[in-house]
Amino acid sequence: MITALLYSCSATKNLKEGQVLYTGADVAVNPDSAKKVPGQKDLKNALESKTRPEPNKKILGFRYKLFFYNLAGEPKKEKGLKYWMRNKLGEPPVLMTDVKVQNNINVLQSYLISKGYLQASVTGTTEIKGKKGRAKYAAFTRDRYQINQIEFPTEPTALENIIRRTSEKTVLKTDDYYDIDAFTTERERIDNELKERGYFFFNPDYIIIKVDSTIGDNKVNVYVRVKDLTPIEALKPYRINDINIYPNYHLRRDSAIRVSKPVIHNSFKIFDPRNTYKPQLFDRLVFFENDEIYNRHDHSLSLNRLVNIGTFRYVKAEFDPLDTLGSDLMDANFYLTPQKKRSLSFQVTGTSKSNNFVGSELKITNTNRNLFRGAEQLITSLSGGFETQVSGAKTNSYSLGASASLVFPRLVSPIEFRNEQNSVPKTHITLSGQLLSRALYFTMLSGNLEYGYIFKGSPYIEHNFNPFSVSYVRTLKTTDSLEQLLVQVPSLRGNYENQFIFSTNYKFTYSDQFRQDKRNHIYFLGSVETAGNLVNAFLKKNEEGRKTLLNTPVNQFIRLEADFRDYYKIKPQLVLAGRANVGYGIPYGNSSVLPYVRQFFAGGSNDIRAFRARSLGPGTYNYDINPDETQFFADQGGDIKMMLNGELRAKLFSVIHGAAFVDAGNIWTAKTDTSRIGSRFNFGRALNEFAVGGGVGLRVDATIFVIRFDLATPFRKPWLPKGERWVFDKMNFGDPTWRKQNLILNIGIGYPF
């Protein structure tokens, strides 16, 4: 109550004599009637959202921008902290004198009429209490009109015949409410039908929808007509004449390119004097043919393919009629400006752990485009990272990595696939390797070779299928310190064995996060991997009963994982994000445990942030470590994972965003591990073995990159005795020892999910 009062005072204390702070508008729908109209709450919200001006922005009732404006005061010069705070973080008070009641009445009444309340009326007034005021509006809807019948054009022209024949697809239905938005959608539908049949120069403005509201009984008749003044070129369909492609187009060389001698390939004239691209490339990118009727589908598909192939910076299509009066032919011209053949990018990440380790990684990526003149890309990268302990005895870790990926803009397969999605299907061959050294403990070398396909099933669905993937992991060196650890926890020994993984894997991704028409966005990633079955059929067992290749065991397992995320926009700058992540791995045949690189882990900056990276679990097991000692912390892997995350994200000001989050979950082993008591999964007690943590975060979101700082602490520790696992009562922020053991700062690039 005291805090709210302080906020209220700070919002109005700087107002001049006679000024009144505008706090918003209230709209009452049919206030004199006890009968509610259908969807009255949504109608009320829609009306209130259309009033202007908008009051000062607020979060949880706190007008934070006005607070910063008042806090800064009047700056003496146009620079410095006060000027920045007042003009960047803050905003001036919105006053009652800014409210134009009659203008809002007109807007609200027009909106009601557009939704079928043809006899609606609106009144408005203002209400002032002290130094604050609101606008009050009353909307009287009266009866809402419905569609009685729809009549389409009756003239016997080819164009109007098409409109009649496609009328079964109309969005206008008898007994639907009169709605201007539906009329607009119908005009666009008709335009699209005509575009698919060659009417290139037609547009929705040439359709007029007349409404007769005089028939009585709150009904209207709707008449769909083509305007009398529609231009002649819009009334006829066009066929494609020449298809001209300029794949090396630049404005400064426009004239020279146009007069160059083209290469004739199938239906195309390709003006490429430098012979930069193979003509066959455009068979999969441009979908028009000579003398075919123009249609919007091929137009859109061609543009999207040309854009999504990743080779051209700018793509433009122009259609030039030979003669708008005497001919129905037009040329299709595609102007393509290529991207730079080579590009170099840098990526830097930083980490900070509660055991006094800090680190960073640098990755350099080089992209070579159009490698074989068919828009292929060769993507090579080098990376290097390190971790060092900043207190106590010094110990360091480092990693070096390299990868090369050759990407073809087509499906390289003995089976021919027909694909008419907007995106270009791709085939990739990737070779990568990494050298990882954890000082005083081990040095490990790993490599991977993969062949696979990436293609879209729809604008929201992506398939990633890798029929062949082989990984090799080799531990080059171990130390006595690691051997002592493996004596204590023998089940971890398999993490450091040399091993082969021959696998086939598939990933399914659904994401509608780029849709602007939805308030709630969903992301789903499901994956399945099976390893070792085919190759093990040809291998013999060694003396220990295991099948090996080059004296190295070949793993057999199946691994399933699902990652579901939901992003609900409470307000334009306030989002509630949630994630559920589950995974299950089954080692069998030649393997008793999942290989280290396929195990599940818990804890870390993108996981359960209140616990050290890969330190949590499995189950109620806890490998305790004294943070004052220099000691290698063994990664705790498991076969099963369950995780839940919730995060409230708010834009505070400029590029600064804040978050409050809670994470929960754990990992488990599928079989009993005698060296890690309590690690085996049991469905009945899994929920009781969840770790829980939470905290707050700050993010610098500059759109092209996000730097994240998350401070978290445990709420629940599953390894403690039953009844003592919740640790709220043990929190002591004033105790430096407690802070050192329980406050974890995660620094990351990008959002955690």
Side-chain angles (χ1 to χ4, degrees):
M1 182 66 73
I2 295 176
T3 303
L5 182 61
L6 289 174
Y7 287 163
S8 177
C9 292
S10 66
T12 59
K13 70 176 183 179
N14 289 348
L15 295 178
K16 297 178 182 178
E17 184 68 29
Q19 288 184 329
V20 178
L21 183 70
Y22 174 64
T23 60
D26 298 311
V27 178
V29 179
N30 298 325
D32 298 332
S33 174
K35 183 180 179 180
K36 291 186 177 182
V37 300
Q40 182 163 314
K41 183 178 180 181
D42 291 338
L43 180 62
K44 169 183 167 66
N45 293 336
L47 291 170
E48 289 179 347
S49 70
K50 294 187 178 300
T51 60
R52 294 293 182 270
E54 294 182 357
N56 293 105
K57 293 182 176 63
K58 60 183 180 179
I59 294 179
L60 301 177
F62 174 43
R63 302 182 191 278
Y64 62 97
K65 282 186 170 288
L66 182 56
F67 170 79
F68 284 118
Y69 183 88
N70 290 332
L71 182 64
E74 189 68 44
K76 296 181 180 179
K77 49 187 178 181
E78 294 186 358
K79 59 181 180 179
L81 178 61
K82 282 191 174 182
Y83 180 84
W84 178 78
M85 182 182 295
R86 187 177 178 91
N87 294 279
K88 298 298 182 181
L89 302 186
E91 65 181 11
V94 180
L95 304 175
M96 287 298 295
T97 53
D98 299 323
V99 180
K100 310 300 181 187
V101 174
Q102 188 57 50
N103 288 351
N104 282 328
I105 289 174
N106 295 338
V107 168
L108 299 184
Q109 188 164 319
S110 295
Y111 177 78
L112 288 170
I113 291 173
S114 76
K115 292 300 179 183
Y117 301 100
L118 301 185
Q119 299 177 17
S121 62
V122 179
T123 61
T125 186
T126 57
E127 182 180 279
I128 296 174
K129 294 182 179 179
K131 290 189 174 184
K132 291 184 177 182
R134 297 185 68 81
K136 303 284 187 176
Y137 301 94
F140 302 93
T141 62
R142 298 183 176 85
D143 292 320
R144 191 175 186 183
Y145 281 67
Q146 293 175 285
I147 296 175
N148 179 55
Q149 67 178 28
I150 308 109
E151 182 181 290
F152 288 90
T154 57
E155 297 297 323
T157 65
L159 182 146
E160 292 179 312
N161 280 336
I162 292 173
I163 296 176
R164 280 196 302 276
R165 287 200 308 270
T166 61
S167 62
E168 71 275 3
K169 301 178 183 177
T170 181
V171 300
L172 305 178
K173 308 294 182 184
T174 56
D175 295 328
D176 278 0
Y177 289 116
Y178 173 110
D179 191 330
I180 290 295
D181 290 338
F183 296 160
T184 300
T185 302
E186 176 65 7
R187 294 168 70 198
E188 292 171 348
R189 182 197 67 80
I190 293 172
D191 174 65
N192 189 65
E193 295 286 355
L194 292 171
K195 287 289 198 303
E196 288 297 329
R197 291 160 175 81
Y199 291 83
F200 177 79
F201 291 101
F202 198 87
N203 73 61
D205 290 338
Y206 300 148
I207 293 290
I208 184 171
I209 296 181
K210 298 179 180 180
V211 176
D212 181 3
S213 61
T214 64
I215 63 174
D217 198 26
N218 299 314
K219 299 280 188 176
V220 297
N221 288 337
V222 177
Y223 303 93
V224 180
R225 296 289 185 264
V226 178
K227 288 183 179 178
D228 294 335
L229 299 179
T230 301
I232 190 171
E233 63 268 20
L235 296 174
K236 63 181 179 180
Y238 281 81
R239 292 181 294 118
I240 301 297
N241 184 46
D242 289 337
I243 304 166
N244 304 312
I245 302 174
Y246 302 88
N248 236 321
Y249 183 79
H250 294 275
L251 280 175
R252 65 178 182 274
R253 293 192 286 112
D254 176 81
S255 299
I257 293 175
R258 286 176 185 264
V259 300
S260 63
K261 184 178 180 180
V263 173
I264 308 300
H265 174 73
N266 294 336
S267 299
F268 308 143
K269 291 182 179 179
I270 303 171
F271 295 81
D272 186 11
R274 298 182 179 180
N275 198 25
T276 309
Y277 301 94
K278 294 177 181 177
Q280 295 85 348
L281 169 66
F282 300 102
D283 292 338
R284 300 184 301 275
L285 302 179
V286 178
F287 289 82
F288 286 114
E289 294 182 2
N290 296 128
D291 204 41
E292 76 166 332
I293 294 290
Y294 166 87
N295 67 88
R296 176 174 279 178
H297 175 267
D298 287 349
H299 185 175
S300 299
L301 183 58
S302 299
L303 287 178
N304 282 307
R305 283 290 187 96
L306 289 165
V307 168
N308 292 329
I309 197 172
T311 298
F312 302 108
R313 181 182 302 176
Y314 304 113
V315 173
K316 183 175 71 170
E318 288 184 355
F319 294 85
D320 296 330
L322 273 60
D323 182 353
T324 56
L325 295 178
S327 173
D328 65 349
L329 295 175
M330 62 180 182
D331 291 339
N333 303 312
F334 291 88
Y335 301 99
L336 316 174
T337 301
Q339 296 197 49
K340 291 182 179 180
K341 184 172 176 58
R342 293 181 177 85
S343 63
L344 198 66
S345 63
F346 298 84
Q347 180 180 343
V348 180
T349 59
T351 58
S352 174
K353 299 180 182 178
S354 61
N355 56 352
N356 299 318
F357 274 89
V358 297
S360 181
E361 181 182 61
L362 171 66
K363 185 176 183 179
I364 304 173
T365 301
N366 177 69
T367 303
N368 189 339
R369 298 180 178 86
N370 198 34
L371 188 65
F372 304 126
R373 297 175 45 241
E376 302 87 0
Q377 293 187 17
L378 177 63
I379 304 169
T380 55
S381 65
L382 294 173
S383 61
F386 74 93
E387 281 186 349
T388 184
Q389 195 171 28
V390 295
S391 66
K394 302 294 181 181
T395 183
N396 300 303
S397 299
Y398 70 85
S399 66
L400 298 173
S403 70
S405 183
L406 180 60
V407 181
F408 299 89
R410 59 189 182 279
L411 296 179
V412 180
S413 169
I415 303 174
E416 184 69 26
F417 292 93
R418 180 174 176 81
N419 184 291
E420 291 195 3
Q421 296 297 327
N422 288 335
S423 65
V424 180
K426 297 177 181 179
T427 302
H428 75 95
I429 303 172
T430 302
L431 178 65
S432 61
Q434 183 187 47
L435 177 67
L436 174 64
S437 175
R438 294 220 169 154
L440 308 179
Y441 295 96
F442 71 86
T443 302
M444 182 181 290
L445 179 67
S446 62
N448 176 259
L449 175 64
E450 191 168 69
Y451 176 91
Y453 308 105
I454 302 171
F455 55 96
K456 288 275 192 179
S458 77
Y460 314 114
I461 294 174
E462 181 177 276
H463 304 275
N464 191 328
F465 175 54
N466 299 300
F468 175 78
S469 176
V470 57
S471 300
Y472 176 68
V473 180
R474 183 177 184 84
T475 302
L476 302 179
K477 184 179 68 174
T478 59
T479 66
D480 292 340
S481 299
L482 179 61
E483 292 299 329
Q484 292 174 12
L485 170 67
L486 297 181
V487 170
Q488 298 176 41
V489 192
S491 60
L492 295 178
R493 186 172 295 277
N495 293 352
Y496 308 100
E497 285 185 343
N498 300 339
Q499 53 194 288
F500 272 114
I501 304 173
F502 289 88
S503 71
T504 297
N505 59 77
Y506 167 74
K507 293 180 181 177
F508 172 90
T509 305
Y510 174 89
S511 176
D512 63 2
Q513 291 175 273
F514 296 103
R515 290 187 62 175
Q516 301 298 318
D517 59 334
K518 293 187 64 177
R519 191 173 184 177
N520 192 64
H521 296 282
I522 291 173
Y523 170 91
F524 174 77
L525 172 64
S527 66
V528 57
E529 181 179 23
T530 179
N533 295 325
L534 181 61
V535 68
N536 273 315
F538 299 94
L539 298 177
K540 295 182 179 181
K541 294 183 179 180
N542 61 12
E543 296 177 354
E544 299 174 353
R546 299 186 69 185
K547 294 184 177 182
T548 62
L549 177 65
L550 303 177
N551 296 320
T552 302
V554 177
N555 281 285
Q556 272 186 287
F557 63 87
I558 184 169
R559 185 182 188 273
L560 308 169
E561 186 173 11
D563 190 338
F564 176 82
R565 306 175 188 182
D566 185 88
Y567 306 89
Y568 181 73
K569 188 179 293 185
I570 302 173
K571 293 182 178 181
Q573 297 178 354
L574 187 65
V575 176
L576 181 62
R579 174 173 65 175
N581 178 219
V582 294
Y584 188 64
I586 309 170
Y588 61 92
N590 209 42
S591 300
S592 58
V593 296
L594 284 179
Y596 173 70
V597 293
R598 296 296 193 272
Q599 289 179 0
F600 297 103
F601 299 91
S605 64
N606 295 321
D607 203 275
I608 305 173
R609 285 161 280 185
F611 299 87
R612 303 182 185 100
R614 301 190 170 204
S615 68
L616 182 59
T620 59
Y621 174 78
N622 179 44
Y623 180 73
D624 198 14
I625 179 173
N626 185 346
D628 294 324
E629 297 177 1
T630 301
Q631 184 176 0
F632 168 63
F633 192 86
D635 296 339
Q636 298 298 321
D639 308 311
I640 301 167
K641 181 175 184 177
M642 298 172 64
M643 181 176 65
L644 299 171
N645 306 87
E647 187 166 282
L648 185 65
R649 300 170 180 172
K651 181 176 181 179
L652 301 180
F653 51 84
S654 185
V655 297
I656 305 300
H657 295 240
F661 56 86
V662 176
D663 307 317
N666 208 336
I667 59 170
W668 295 266
T669 58
K671 301 176 182 178
T672 300
D673 184 345
T674 56
S675 61
R676 294 189 289 179
I677 303 299
S679 65
R680 185 171 181 174
F681 179 77
N682 181 288
F683 187 80
R685 61 171 183 263
L687 190 62
N688 195 39
E689 295 178 353
F690 266 32
V692 182
V696 294
L698 280 177
R699 289 84 191 271
V700 181
D701 187 344
T703 305
I704 58 174
F705 69 89
V706 176
I707 301 176
R708 173 167 52 93
F709 304 89
D710 287 337
L711 185 65
T713 187
F715 297 159
R716 192 174 194 273
K717 298 179 178 180
W719 60 84
L720 295 178
K722 291 182 179 180
E724 301 178 19
R725 291 174 179 174
W726 291 103
V727 293
F728 288 111
D729 58 334
K730 297 181 176 62
M731 291 183 177
N732 187 355
F733 290 91
D735 182 356
T737 302
W738 181 92
R739 292 198 304 269
K740 188 173 185 179
Q741 295 177 354
N742 293 277
L743 286 184
I744 297 183
L745 175 64
N746 297 279
I747 303 174
I749 304 295
Y751 285 96
F753 60 90

